[in-house]
Amino acid sequence: MKKSLFTLAFCFCFLAANAQKVSFDPIDWQASDSVTIKIDFSGTTFHGYTGDLYLWSWMINGAGQSFDNPNNGVWSASNTSSKLANLGSNIRTIKILPSGYFGIHADFIKNTGINFLIKKLDGNDATGGFPGKSQDFLGNKPMASDGISPNTA
């Protein structure tokens, strides 16, 4: 039993240590205002990667239907409008106006949130010791549902 708990705790710590850190500026962003999404890849599988990275995003409605962002492009060739800026030190950012970027009314985004991952131009390209894509970041909503707490990923 102790060995199982130790193994489980080790796996959890390993996964937590290798997770990308995402933040939003402002932290209390709204779907009708510009927001900067910042991803810190320090200590992750993208640590040290200097090539281009892109935001790939989608939404899921109340019926569970998924809608890709029209700015995604195709999986093998992301749209340049979704390219992240490389700030150095394993930090990437992209500034978007969510309602304009998705082409959807701000209230829809407020209710569903946005989902995204970060990928190379071709999300299947796992060359150079780097994966083709990051983990999924799901359900990022403008302002927490209580209207007081800021969103965190």
Side-chain angles (χ1 to χ4, degrees):
M1 178 70 173
K2 286 182 183 181
K3 185 176 181 180
S4 296
L5 289 174
F6 175 77
T7 303
L8 182 62
F10 175 78
C11 290
F12 177 76
C13 291
F14 177 78
L15 290 172
N18 284 302
Q20 292 87 8
K21 297 163 213 72
V22 175
S23 60
F24 298 86
D25 184 18
I27 59 173
D28 59 347
W29 63 279
Q30 298 296 318
S32 56
D33 297 324
S34 292
V35 61
T36 299
I37 302 171
K38 177 180 167 186
I39 304 100
D40 182 351
F41 289 104
S42 299
T44 72
T45 54
F46 272 118
H47 182 93
Y49 182 72
T50 58
D52 293 336
L53 291 173
Y54 300 83
L55 182 74
W56 183 271
S57 53
W58 66 96
M59 302 177 86
I60 300 173
N61 68 14
Q65 297 167 308
S66 181
F67 299 93
D68 279 349
N69 181 328
N71 289 302
N72 282 345
V74 295
W75 187 253
S76 61
S78 290
N79 189 320
T80 56
S81 68
S82 296
K83 184 177 171 181
L84 278 67
N86 185 349
L87 303 183
S89 301
N90 295 300
I91 308 244
R92 305 292 179 111
T93 65
I94 187 168
K95 186 173 188 171
I96 63 170
L97 173 64
S99 58
Y101 188 71
F102 281 94
I104 294 177
H105 194 276
D107 287 342
F108 185 79
I109 296 171
K110 182 178 180 181
N111 292 324
T112 64
I114 60 173
N115 306 291
F116 62 90
L117 57 83
I118 307 303
K119 64 183 274 302
K120 293 179 180 177
L121 180 66
D122 178 349
N124 297 318
D125 176 15
T127 59
F130 297 99
K133 69 176 194 75
S134 72
Q135 69 192 48
D136 292 350
F137 300 97
L138 304 173
N140 298 286
K141 292 185 177 183
M143 285 299 285
S145 59
D146 62 8
I148 299 168
S149 306
N151 177 22
T152 57

